């Protein structure tokens, strides 16, 4: 089992229809990626251990069930059991992905929504792929922020690198599809390679993060490498492992 | 008390006293800063945005003189002149109290703007005492501000809330939304600073706080019995007997008006052991 960041694309459109407004919202969720057979006692023990180690990471985080590596267990009954067990543990399960052709009304009755890209659904999948194709053709759109990123703020570079000239506060979040450069202290969350770029890196002048993630692999403040903590550091993936090292 | 009067047109500068967290000293600071400005001869009004709690008029000692309030004016039930209370100690100081019986929804953006515009024609400084939190009341208190005093205690949760508020000041204010406008000028006022507790490592140092917030420091107000005493008798601390806290607020006020004043970290002089044991009977 591994946890991944799943991301919904933000919608730029902002239609004003009184008496309410519709706004696109960028949502970062945790994806619980299931592997192998149906969840057993050992699975739940491992999960409970993980929850105990990093409780703050899971508290209030929306969770998606990802069946990409366990297609055999994506049946309504198994999903119902799993969702029930997770909700018992106060995880906010709201969606499934890569569940194959599954009965929509069954999902709906469990309060779950299917999230793209649903590989076996012809309609939405084509649209999603087309959209991705179009985005690949667009030039990169790097972003530079010249002010500190404050607690409660989220800055996203959808297609490219993000550079912050200043610090990223505790409770703030910076997200990029490419690299993230922080000329200041990283105290909040930094999520690089958000669309799966395993070559993305995070650089910061001082590492004191609540969370760092690259292409879905993450570490939290209590699992930061002591050798890099409070130092000028870079964070990168090597052989599917998140590494961090002091530089300069 | 003597005050010098000025002849120039009013400055009309709107300053919000805000923090995110409650109980950090916003109202105390709004009272002290407005009284300090008025003492220097600036025509000053202080507005209570904390609808429902209504602490400012007590801190200013005018709670028994409230007839109409800010909400009455916004809803058109009273004129501004009827709601403004002239301070008995300083003729340059006025208070616009709020209502204790209404809720936050009684404030509207248009109403607040109209009141501020009218006040700008008469006053040099318009001090807005914000409620805690980051919702409607706090949003409206900061929305029209030219400047912000972010009141912060030297502890982690207060610093984090202040950071959050600084983010809102740079994104959710009229200045932030107006193309080409100068951003809201924000400064930190560190209050309830207890040097002994900082030395013992129980509180954050000034440097730590500034490193995180990354905005200029307006002043350091020590934790002080003088503040409690003054607020209990309804006197802004700068109008009470001189104390470390009143001097620190006066320095902050001078900086707010653009003067350069050296930063000093003071603490209440603690009586020595001898005095603690024998002082009372001596
Ligand atoms: N420097 C200080 N020293 C001691 N007590 C203080 C100081 N500043 C504020 N207080 C006390 O803290 C309490 C909360 O202050 P207040 O100004 O009402 O905070 P806020 O408006 O931010 O909620 C009050 O009882 C006040 O007297
Ligand atoms: Mg208050």
């Amino acid at each position: 089992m591994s946890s991944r960041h799943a991301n919904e694309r933000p919608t730029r459109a902002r239609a004003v229809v009184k008496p309410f407004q519709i706004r696109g919202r960028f949502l970062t969720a945790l994806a619980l990626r299931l592997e192998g057979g149906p969840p057993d006692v050992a699975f739940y023990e491992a999960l409970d251990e993980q929850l105990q180690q990093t409780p703050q990471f899971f508290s209030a985080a929306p969770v998606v069930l990802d069946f990409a590596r366990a297609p055999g267990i994506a049946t309504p009954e198994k999903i119902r059991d799993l969702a029930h067990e997770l909700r018992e543990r106060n995880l906010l399960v709201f969606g499934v992905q890569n569940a194959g052709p599954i009965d929509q009304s069954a999902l709906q009755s469990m309060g779950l929504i299917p999230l793209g890209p649903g590989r076996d659904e012809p309609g939405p999948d084509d649209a999603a792929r087309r959209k991705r194709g179009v985005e690949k053709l667009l030039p990169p759109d790097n972003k530079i922020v010249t002010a500190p990123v404050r607690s409660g703020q989220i800055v996203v570079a959808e297609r490219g690198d993000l550079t912050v000239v200043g610090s990223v506060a505790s409770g703030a979040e910076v997200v990029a599809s490419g690299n993230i450069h922080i000329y200041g202290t990283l105290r909040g969350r930094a999520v690089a390679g958000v669309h799966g770029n395993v070559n993305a890196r995070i650089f910061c002048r001082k590492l004191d993060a609540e969370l760092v993630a690259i292409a879905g692999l993450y570490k939290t403040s209590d699992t930061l490498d002591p050798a890099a903590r409070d130092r000028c550091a870079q964070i990168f993936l090597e052989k599917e492992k998140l590494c961090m090292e002091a530089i300069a | 008390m003597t005050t010098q009067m000025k002849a120039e047109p009013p400055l009309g500068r709107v300053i919000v006293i805000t923090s995110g967290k409650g109980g950090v000293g916003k109202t105390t600071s709004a009272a002290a800063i407005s009284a300090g400005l008025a003492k220097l001869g600036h025509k000053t009004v202080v507005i209570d945005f904390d609808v429902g709690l209504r602490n400012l008029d007590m801190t200013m000692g005018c709670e028994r003189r409230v007839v109409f309030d800010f909400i009455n004016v916004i809803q058109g039930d009273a004129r501004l002149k009827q709601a403004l209370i002239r301070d008995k100690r300083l003729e340059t100081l006025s208070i616009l109290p709020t209502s204790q019986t209404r809720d936050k929804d009684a404030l509207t953006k248009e109403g607040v703007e109209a009141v501020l515009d009218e006040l700008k024609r008469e006053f040099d400084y318009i001090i807005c005492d914000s409620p805690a939190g980051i919702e409607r009341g706090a949003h409206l208190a900061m929305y029209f501000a030219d400047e912000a005093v972010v009141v912060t205690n030297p502890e982690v949760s207060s610093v984090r809330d202040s950071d959050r508020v600084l983010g809102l000041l740079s994104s959710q204010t009229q200045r932030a939304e107006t193309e080409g406008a100068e951003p809201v000028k924000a400064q930190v006022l560190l209050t309830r600073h207890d040097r002994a507790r900082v030395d013992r490592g129980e509180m954050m140092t000034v440097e730590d706080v500034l490193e995180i917030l990354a905005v200029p420091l307006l002043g350091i107000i020590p934790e002080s019995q003088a503040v409690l005493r003054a607020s209990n008798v309804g006197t802004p601390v700068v109008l009470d007997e001189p104390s470390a806290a009143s001097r620190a607020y006066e320095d902050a006020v001078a900086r707010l008006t653009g003067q350069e004043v050296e930063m000093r970290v003071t603490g209440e002089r603690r009586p020595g052991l001898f005095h603690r044991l024998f002082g009372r009977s001596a």
Side-chain angles (χ1 to χ4, degrees):
Chain A
M1 183 200 91
S2 71
S3 298
R4 293 193 156 243
H5 271 77
N7 285 281
E8 284 291 274
R9 247 159 244 286
T11 317
R12 286 273 139 70
R14 178 178 151 187
V16 182
V17 186
K18 279 186 175 151
F20 54 80
Q21 294 187 347
I22 297 171
R23 293 171 181 225
R25 192 184 184 294
F26 184 90
L27 172 71
T28 303
L30 293 171
L32 188 64
R33 176 167 277 202
L34 299 140
E35 283 168 9
D40 51 10
V41 176
F43 170 88
Y44 288 113
E45 273 174 5
L47 179 67
D48 288 334
E49 196 178 319
Q50 174 84 48
L51 290 176
Q52 236 167 13
Q53 277 171 6
T54 53
Q56 76 284 25
F57 183 62
F58 288 95
S59 79
V63 173
V64 177
L65 304 175
D66 185 350
F67 293 95
R69 292 194 194 164
I73 61 169
T75 64
E77 298 73 42
K78 299 244 165 59
I79 294 177
R80 188 184 303 276
D81 289 347
L82 186 58
H84 174 74
E85 288 287 340
L86 296 178
R87 285 171 176 160
E88 286 277 286
R89 289 167 171 79
N90 289 324
L91 294 179
L92 307 176
V93 185
F94 76 98
V96 297
Q97 64 187 27
N98 301 314
I102 192 165
D103 183 14
Q104 300 295 312
S105 60
L107 280 183
Q108 211 160 42
S109 75
M110 298 177 232
L112 294 172
I113 51 173
L115 298 173
R119 241 163 240 161
D120 299 316
E121 298 163 71
D125 185 39
D126 281 356
R129 198 171 294 155
R130 242 196 326 275
K131 186 170 175 224
R132 193 154 305 172
V134 168
E135 289 207 348
K136 273 225 178 86
L137 295 177
L138 290 171
D141 186 12
N142 299 324
K143 212 177 221 176
I144 298 178
V145 176
T146 54
V149 183
R150 307 281 185 186
S151 189
Q153 292 181 329
I154 168 163
V155 179
V156 182
E158 260 290 309
R159 283 194 331 273
D161 291 1
L162 174 62
T163 305
V164 179
V165 186
S167 294
V168 175
S170 151
E173 187 163 341
V174 288
V175 181
S177 68
N179 306 305
I180 296 176
H181 306 264
I182 299 162
Y183 293 92
T185 305
L186 170 58
R187 298 189 180 86
R189 297 173 162 219
V191 179
V194 74
H195 298 321
N197 179 359
V198 293
N199 295 316
R201 292 188 177 212
I202 298 168
F203 306 87
C204 58
R205 239 184 36 200
K206 189 170 166 197
L207 178 65
D208 186 18
E210 286 166 350
L211 176 139
V212 287
I214 294 173
L217 292 174
Y218 72 91
K219 283 201 172 161
T220 57
S221 62
D222 30 45
T223 52
L224 288 184
D225 196 338
R229 182 189 285 277
D230 288 336
R231 305 279 301 275
C232 178
Q234 67 166 330
I235 296 142
F236 52 96
L237 284 184
E238 203 171 74
K239 301 197 186 97
E240 293 222 2
K241 255 196 74 163
L242 192 71
C243 307
M244 48 192 78
E245 65 183 30
I247 48 177
Chain B
M1 199 151 285
T2 51
T3 53
Q4 316 112 260
M5 294 301 292
K6 301 194 313 167
E8 300 124 57
L11 195 61
R13 197 143 175 92
V14 179
I15 304 179
V16 62
I17 314 293
T18 182
S19 73
K21 198 169 154 69
V24 293
K26 285 181 296 297
T27 300
T28 304
S29 300
I33 288 172
S34 53
L37 287 165
K39 221 163 92 171
L40 294 175
H42 303 291
K43 286 201 76 184
T44 305
V45 59
V46 56
I47 310 178
D48 192 348
F49 274 79
D50 205 348
V51 185
L53 275 183
R54 212 191 118 182
N55 283 333
L56 180 69
D57 49 293
M58 294 194 55
T59 310
M60 302 292 294
C62 64
E63 71 274 14
R64 296 158 72 89
R65 297 169 59 205
V66 175
V67 181
F68 295 108
D69 59 48
F70 189 23
I71 305 299
N72 294 137
V73 178
I74 283 186
Q75 301 195 329
D77 300 330
R79 281 179 296 112
L80 186 54
K81 289 253 180 311
Q82 295 175 295
L84 281 177
I85 301 175
R86 180 68 66 91
D87 187 84
K88 287 224 163 110
R89 295 150 296 209
L90 293 169
E91 56 182 326
T92 41
L93 181 60
S94 294
I95 298 111
L96 183 54
T98 194
S99 163
Q100 200 161 13
T101 52
R102 310 294 188 84
D103 60 33
K104 292 186 284 297
D105 295 340
L107 290 176
T108 63
K109 199 176 253 183
E110 297 71 30
V112 170
E113 184 171 31
V115 169
L116 291 178
D117 283 344
E118 196 173 339
L119 291 171
K120 281 183 199 175
R121 289 199 288 274
E122 194 181 336
F123 291 94
D124 294 317
Y125 290 100
I126 299 148
I127 308 297
C128 304
D129 179 22
S130 172
I134 51 172
E135 276 150 37
R136 191 179 176 82
H139 175 65
L140 287 174
M142 73 168 65
Y143 188 77
F144 297 103
D146 300 305
E147 256 181 77
V149 173
V150 180
V151 179
T152 307
N153 293 167
E155 43 114 358
V156 175
S157 65
S158 171
V159 172
R160 185 171 164 146
D161 285 358
S162 291
D163 188 67
R164 179 117 204 218
V165 160
L166 284 166
L168 298 177
L169 285 165
S170 63
S171 61
Q172 313 263 305
T173 52
Q174 191 181 45
R175 281 179 175 271
E177 288 169 6
T178 309
E179 191 93 23
E182 283 269 309
V184 176
K185 178 178 175 194
Q187 301 185 80
V188 188
L189 183 65
L190 206 59
T191 60
R192 312 203 69 163
H193 183 266
D194 186 332
R195 194 147 59 161
R197 294 190 60 194
V198 174
D199 290 346
R200 287 200 299 272
E202 295 167 15
M203 278 187 155
M204 292 171 76
T205 65
V206 178
E207 294 72 33
D208 284 348
V209 175
L210 293 181
E211 219 255 309
I212 290 177
L213 296 182
V215 287
L217 179 65
L218 182 67
I220 305 168
I221 314 297
E223 174 77 19
S224 159
Q225 287 299 315
V227 172
L228 287 176
R229 203 169 49 230
S231 91
N232 280 336
V233 296
T235 307
V237 68
V238 295
L239 301 184
D240 208 19
E241 299 162 19
S243 62
S246 71
R247 277 188 296 275
Y249 271 118
E250 279 170 355
D251 285 355
V253 166
R255 289 185 200 106
L256 207 53
T257 62
Q259 287 179 49
E260 279 194 27
V261 184
E262 202 192 329
M263 198 65 67
R264 43 184 166 180
V265 183
T266 51
E268 279 205 317
R269 200 167 296 137
R270 283 170 194 275
L273 183 63
F274 182 83
H275 284 101
R276 278 213 301 277
L277 291 174
F278 303 109
R280 284 188 193 282
S281 56

